[in-house]
Amino acid sequence: MEDQLVMATWGLVIATFLLFLAALVPVFEGVTQRRRVRRNVAASLIPDMNILRSRLQGDEKYLRNVKQVDKKIVSFVLGGNGSNLETLSELLSSRDIDLLFINEVYILRHQLTQARIELTAAQRLFREDANDGESVRKRDEHIRRACRLYGASLLTLSAAEDLVPEWAKNVAGEKFWDRFSRLSEEREERAGKQMVSSDFRHSRDSL
């Protein structure tokens, strides 16, 4: 009788333990699913953020020397501004992103929109070919503020990027942009050598 009681007790313990394990399965699946979603979101964000950084750095560099900025440069940066705002819209459309990250992206969009307003005002003054001192001063101030806004947008982009988990920024142990830049340069150089080799063979065969 005592043995049967012991066996029944152990049976109850084992059954309870199995039920406990069964209850953990959905929890682990949920954690795995959330981790997978975060990885997918990060994988879609990082490439666009790195490309956006490269564009913003170039635009800020174009505008930095105010006295050398002409209407062609302003038009070029304005064209890129529209593409940058489209990229930000795509970032904001991503699901399962942190509210703090969204806030930083909205700040970034505001800064680029304000820069667009400043550049449009400068472009209008260029079109009017206004050379009087007051108009030139206003035009330069519009360009200076646009440049400051591009500098601020780079700071905001860095703040947003810092919110992305560190593991999501690397590809095979190398920063996404570092790998992107390195392979792009290496393959262009390799293609150039292949062209030289091909031209040499073609020249030799034609002799």
Side-chain angles (χ1 to χ4, degrees), residues 117-205:
I117 292 170
E118 298 294 338
L119 290 170
T120 300
Q123 187 182 54
R124 185 170 61 250
L125 288 169
F126 272 119
R127 276 205 303 265
E128 292 171 358
D129 197 26
N131 292 314
D132 61 283
E134 182 61 16
S135 295
V136 170
R137 186 192 66 77
K138 287 181 178 179
R139 188 178 67 201
D140 289 352
E141 184 52 40
H142 286 308
I143 295 170
R144 283 193 188 91
R145 180 152 192 257
C147 188
R148 288 198 302 272
L149 285 162
Y150 271 94
S153 70
L154 282 165
L155 295 175
T156 304
L157 183 61
S158 292
E161 203 170 13
D162 287 342
L163 297 172
V164 178
E166 201 62 37
W167 51 259
K169 302 176 186 178
N170 297 327
V171 179
E174 191 174 8
K175 292 284 187 183
F176 180 94
W177 186 250
D178 292 344
R179 184 177 188 276
F180 179 94
S181 301
R182 177 178 61 78
L183 290 179
S184 179
E185 291 175 5
E186 286 178 5
R187 287 169 185 169
E188 183 177 351
E189 183 179 354
R190 210 159 81 199
K193 290 178 180 177
Q194 288 174 350
M195 286 176 63
V196 170
S197 176
S198 176
D199 290 344
F200 175 75
R201 284 199 305 271
H202 179 74
S203 175
R204 187 180 59 186
D205 293 341

